[in-house]
C-alpha cells in the first residue's frame, strides 16, 4: 500500500528542503509541492530516484496561466509511483518575461509530447528538449492560444495547402 499524502509530504520535506508544501486542506487531500524553477529538474530526479518514494511515472505534465499574478505561469507535473501506489503533484512557478524550465525528457519519455504541447499552447520553453516544435498547431501559427491574453476574435493565418510527402512539417532525415 502506498504512503498517505501526509507521509509523502513528510518524506519530500526531508529530501527537498527547498520545496514548499501546500496544505492538504487546500489541495483536496492531495500531496502538492512547489519547487523553484532553477531546481525543478534536480528535484524531479530526486523524487524519481528516492528509494522510499520511487515516482517512476510522469502521468501528466501541463501548465496554468495566472494572468495578472507574478509569476504568471505554473508548470505542473503529476507523478505516480506504480510500485508504491502513491502520487504527488509538483508545481513549478515560471516567470512570464522568460518562460522556460528544463526538460524532463531525460527522466521520463512521457515528457516528450507533453512538453511540446505546453510549448505549443502556452509558449513555455523546455530547455534541452530534443524536438521542441509545435505538436497541435501548424508551424506558421502565431501565438499560444491557451494564454489568457490571447485574443478570442483573432483569425488564424491562412497557409497554402501542402503535400505532406513532398513538404513535411518535420525536418526530413535520411532513411525515413
Amino acid at each position: 500500500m502506498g504512503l498517505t499524502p501526509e507521509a509523502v509530504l513528510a518524506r519530500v520535506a526531508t529530501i527537498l528542503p527547498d520545496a514548499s508544501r501546500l496544505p492538504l486542506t487546500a489541495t483536496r487531500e492531495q500531496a502538492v509541492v512547489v519547487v523553484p524553477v532553477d531546481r525543478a529538474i534536480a528535484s524531479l530526479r530526486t523524487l524519481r530516484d528516492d528509494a522510499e518514494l520511487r515516482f517512476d511515472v510522469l502521468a501528466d505534465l501541463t501548465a496554468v496561466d495566472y494572468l495578472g499574478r507574478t509569476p504568471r505561469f505554473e508548470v505542473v507535473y503529476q507523478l505516480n509511483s506504480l510500485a508504491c501506489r502513491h502520487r504527488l503533484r509538483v508545481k513549478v512557478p515560471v516567470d512570464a518575461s522568460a518562460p522556460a524550465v528544463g526538460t524532463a525528457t531525460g527522466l521520463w519519455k512521457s515528457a516528450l509530447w507533453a512538453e511540446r504541447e505546453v510549448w505549443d499552447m502556452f509558449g513555455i520553453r523546455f530547455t534541452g528538449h530534443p524536438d521542441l516544435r509545435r505538436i497541435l498547431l501548424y508551424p506558421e501559427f502565431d501565438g499560444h492560444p491557451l494564454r489568457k491574453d490571447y485574443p478570442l476574435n483573432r483569425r488564424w493565418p491562412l497557409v497554402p495547402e501542402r503535400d505532406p510527402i513532398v513538404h513535411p512539417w518535420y525536418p526530413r532525415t535520411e532513411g525515413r
Side-chain angles (χ1 to χ4, degrees):
M1 188 64 181
L3 298 174
T4 65
E6 294 87 356
V8 169
L9 290 176
R11 178 64 184 158
V12 169
T14 63
I15 63 173
L16 298 178
D18 57 343
S20 306
R21 294 176 293 159
L22 297 182
L24 289 174
T25 55
T27 60
R28 297 186 175 153
E29 302 300 317
Q30 294 181 3
V32 179
V33 296
V34 180
V35 299
V37 69
D38 60 335
R39 298 274 310 134
I41 300 307
S43 298
L44 292 170
R45 181 177 289 108
T46 300
L47 292 167
R48 183 196 66 180
D49 296 342
D50 182 71
E52 198 173 317
L53 293 175
R54 298 192 323 198
F55 286 112
D56 51 356
V57 175
L58 174 65
D60 195 18
L61 186 161
T62 190
V64 182
D65 181 357
Y66 294 106
L67 184 62
R69 190 176 93 174
T70 303
R72 177 178 174 174
F73 300 105
E74 275 184 352
V75 175
V76 182
Y77 301 84
Q78 184 67 45
L79 305 180
N80 289 358
S81 173
L82 292 180
C84 302
R85 297 178 54 200
H86 51 251
R87 61 186 177 182
L88 174 68
R89 183 175 302 144
V90 179
K91 296 182 175 188
V92 178
V94 178
D95 190 38
S97 63
V101 65
T103 183
T105 57
L107 302 173
W108 298 283
K109 293 296 182 196
S110 60
L112 282 165
W113 284 32
E115 288 179 353
R116 286 179 60 190
E117 182 179 354
V118 169
W119 155 246
D120 200 2
M121 297 288 108
F122 291 94
I124 298 171
R125 290 197 170 277
F126 291 88
T127 55
H129 191 284
D131 186 21
L132 194 61
R133 60 188 163 97
R134 291 200 180 270
I135 191 169
L136 298 174
L137 300 170
Y138 50 91
E140 295 86 3
F141 189 89
D142 186 28
H144 305 281
L146 288 186
R147 286 188 174 199
K148 290 193 176 169
D149 57 357
Y150 188 82
L152 294 176
N153 60 352
R154 184 171 186 185
R155 278 189 61 112
W156 293 7
L158 298 176
V159 295
E161 184 178 348
R162 74 176 106 197
D163 182 339
I165 304 300
V166 177
H167 300 290
W169 287 10
Y170 55 84
R172 187 176 286 276
T173 59
E174 290 302 317
R176 202 179 246 190

